[in-house]
Amino acid sequence: GLRRAATAESAAAHGVCSTVAAAANSVLPHLLFLERGDGEGGGEGTRPHAAWRLGLFSAITAAIRRMCAFPAREVRALAYEPLMVLHAALNSVPCVSLRMEQVAVDAICECALALATSCGYSQGYFDNLYEDNDEELEVERNDVRDVARSVCSLDSGAITGNQKSPSILILERIVTACNAAMQHAASVGQL
């Protein structure tokens, strides 16, 4: 018989997640491109394939969300590129259905926050400054900051009429979530 290639859970997940990430890199921008022009009046009921596209888009972004919250950093790292590709596509497509844009913005925000939360310093990390840093953690933190900067970049995305660019929507949501977390930490004496 054949020997299994991956025995550890994170190794098996890495293989599946790398496939999902590769598919997301090509499929998500394509689905956004197909949605162009639906605008406010379009969406799920206007064109026959809109509901199918939204369902597929939602399923792929849900998988990316799970990757961002996965315990293994190697799996989380696989989500970086699809998030940045999704953000770039969202800002380059002139008009997508509002529902599709909302799903994309929600996914990007939740992923950025999940990634940031997953690479926090452990309790007591700075207690002994003579110990070496956890270099893998520092690299992950730098990568996550790069992703956050990319998806909140205010120099991307056209603002048409009274609409806000997706980047501004993402930035507002992330800042609001961070503010709420800081207020909660302060109210329970942890800040």
Side-chain angles (χ1 to χ4, degrees):
L2 293 175
R3 187 180 69 188
R4 293 188 64 181
T7 55
E9 179 185 349
S10 64
H14 187 278
V16 171
C17 290
S18 64
T19 303
V20 170
N25 283 336
S26 63
V27 173
L28 292 177
H30 183 68
L31 290 172
L32 284 174
F33 179 76
L34 291 174
E35 282 290 302
R36 73 187 188 289
D38 277 355
E40 285 187 45
E44 294 144 33
T46 305
R47 298 192 319 194
H49 299 293
W52 176 84
R53 285 193 307 263
L54 180 61
L56 179 58
F57 190 87
S58 297
I60 294 169
T61 56
I64 298 297
R65 286 175 174 159
R66 285 191 296 276
M67 288 168 55
C68 291
F70 199 81
R73 65 174 44 123
E74 299 83 17
V75 171
R76 291 191 303 266
L78 292 170
Y80 300 166
E81 186 178 4
L83 286 174
M84 293 189 285
V85 166
L86 174 58
H87 176 260
L90 187 60
N91 281 301
S92 65
V93 175
C95 185
V96 298
S97 68
L98 291 178
R99 181 69 187 129
M100 182 82 79
E101 180 183 60
Q102 189 62 50
V103 170
V105 168
D106 288 348
I108 291 169
C109 291
E110 288 177 25
C111 285
L113 292 168
L115 289 170
T117 303
S118 69
C119 63
Y121 292 118
S122 61
Q123 188 76 6
Y125 185 82
F126 295 105
D127 289 350
N128 186 355
L129 298 178
Y130 293 106
E131 289 182 13
D132 289 336
N133 289 340
D134 178 348
E135 284 303 316
E136 288 182 11
L137 176 62
E138 296 302 332
V139 167
E140 182 181 19
R141 290 174 62 81
N142 287 334
D143 291 345
V144 168
R145 281 192 287 269
D146 287 343
V147 170
R149 274 191 291 272
S150 175
V151 300
C152 293
S153 173
L154 296 180
D155 61 350
S156 62
I159 300 173
T160 56
N162 293 332
Q163 283 184 300
K164 293 180 180 178
S165 78
S167 296
I168 290 177
L169 295 172
I170 293 165
L171 179 62
E172 284 177 345
R173 291 263 316 270
I174 289 174
V175 168
T176 300
C178 291
N179 182 46
M182 290 173 55
Q183 286 181 341
H184 174 72
S187 71
V188 296
Q190 294 178 344
L191 186 63

